[in-house]
Every structure is written in C-alpha cells, then in structure tokens.
Amino acid sequence: MSPLHKESTGNLILVPALITLALTLLRLTGELLNWSPVFFNKSAGGGGALIGISWLVPFIGFYFAWRLQQAGTVPAGRGRLFGFAVLGLAVYAGVFMLALAVAKENVWLLSTFGVVGAAAGLFLLRQAWPALFTSLFAYGLAARVPVVIIMFLAIMGNWGTHYDVAPPNFPAGMAAFPKWVVIGLVPQLTFWMVYTVGIGLIFGGLAVLVAKRRPALA
C-alpha cells in the first residue's frame, strides 16, 4: 500500500473537501438570497443547477486516481476496476427500482431499501480498487455530512431552499425530524455516497487509461 494512501488519505482529500464545502455554502447563500435559478435551483432536489457539488465528482475521481498512481498505488486490473464499478452502481440501481415498484407509497420502506442497496453497492464498489474506494468514501463523507447538517437546519427552520423542500407526493403533515431523516439523512448517506464512489471510480479508471499511455507511469 502506498505511503500516500496509508498515511495521508486526509491530506489527499483535504483541499477537494474544502472546495466542496465552499461550493455548498455558496449554493445555500444563492438560494437564500434568491439568486438566478439557473445557478441556484430551489425546487425539490435542486437538479440541474449549475452551482452544485455533484458536478465535482468526475474530476475528484480522476484526481484521486492520478495521485494514487503517482504514489505507486495501482488497481489490480482495469477490467476489474470498471467491472466492479459498473456492477456496484447497477446493483444499487436495481434495488432502487425494486423499491419503487413495491414500496412507492411507503417512504420508510423506501429508505430501508435505500440503506440495503447502498450497503450492497458499496461492498461491490470496494472490490474495484480498494485504495481509490477509501479516498472517495472519505471524500464522500466530507462532502455529504455538511449537507446533512444544512438540511437539518433548513427543514427545522423552513428556509424554502432545495435543502428543505419535499419532493412531489411526499406524505403531508410529516413532522420536521422524520422528514429530515427521509429526505436528508438517508439519501445523502446512501444514494449520494454510492454516486460519489461509483462515478469517481469510473473516472478514476479513465485516469488509469491515460496514465498507461505515459511512459513515466507505464
């Protein structure tokens, strides 16, 4: 195991995590101040907004993989890397689709399926390249835990941002704390963790392919 990965995962993710936190706070500020919805979408989920941390994941995955390779840590094989990355994402997606089919109206059952699917998906994703998985998982927590906290405050305070607006058909009258659990805590630590690790691994695989073409890393 490389010195970088063994001793300095924190150092590896520090700058990306700080950039991500700054972008999260910028997103929150823009929504609270009603800045352009093109950049700061306040609707449920906030999808498509140009200011958001999900756009960072491909670049983070590529960067982490490049740094790990420079430190001498490489995946067991490119086929294994891409294969398990796709498989992990597919398993999570399959569980999610099953959940929608059998538990569409029960948000608690959906959340349970989400936890189970994420556990299975992350287990498979770890097989792709354990060193890169560890870095991406640590970064994912650093990126998503602040969002979990912001969502808690936003829901409790009814801020009117995408952090606290419930999706369509959400059960009416649910208290603030369980609402936070269902739309904040669980999705951030399941779906978004799988997304961060899975997509990061795929783009990390692209970094491996690029590095193989360079004599210094061949």
Side-chain angles (χ1 to χ4, degrees), residues 53-72:
I53 62 176
S54 61
W55 305 114
L56 296 176
V57 172
F59 303 100
I60 296 296
F62 192 98
Y63 169 73
F64 285 172
W66 193 267
R67 286 283 304 276
L68 288 171
Q69 288 177 104
Q70 287 182 323

Side-chain angles (χ1 to χ4, degrees), residues 94-169:
V95 173
F96 183 76
M97 296 303 293
L98 176 63
L100 290 178
V102 304
K104 186 174 182 180
E105 304 300 326
N106 188 325
V107 294
W108 294 108
L109 192 53
L110 280 173
S111 296
T112 301
F113 269 98
V115 172
V116 172
L122 289 168
F123 173 80
L124 292 168
L125 290 171
R126 189 181 185 281
Q127 315 311 309
W129 184 0
L132 181 55
F133 172 92
T134 299
S135 298
L136 286 167
F137 188 85
Y139 166 76
L141 289 177
R144 292 295 161 182
V145 168
V147 177
V148 169
I149 296 171
I150 288 172
M151 293 188 75
F152 178 82
L153 297 174
I155 290 171
M156 295 299 168
N158 194 27
W159 290 354
T161 67
H162 92 278
Y163 295 107
D164 59 289
V165 175
N169 303 319

Side-chain angles (χ1 to χ4, degrees), residues 192-217:
W192 286 112
M193 289 297 294
V194 173
Y195 167 83
T196 298
V197 175
I199 300 302
L201 281 165
I202 289 174
F203 279 84
L206 296 180
V208 172
L209 295 179
V210 172
K212 288 295 182 182
R213 295 177 178 273
R214 294 170 60 89
L217 293 176

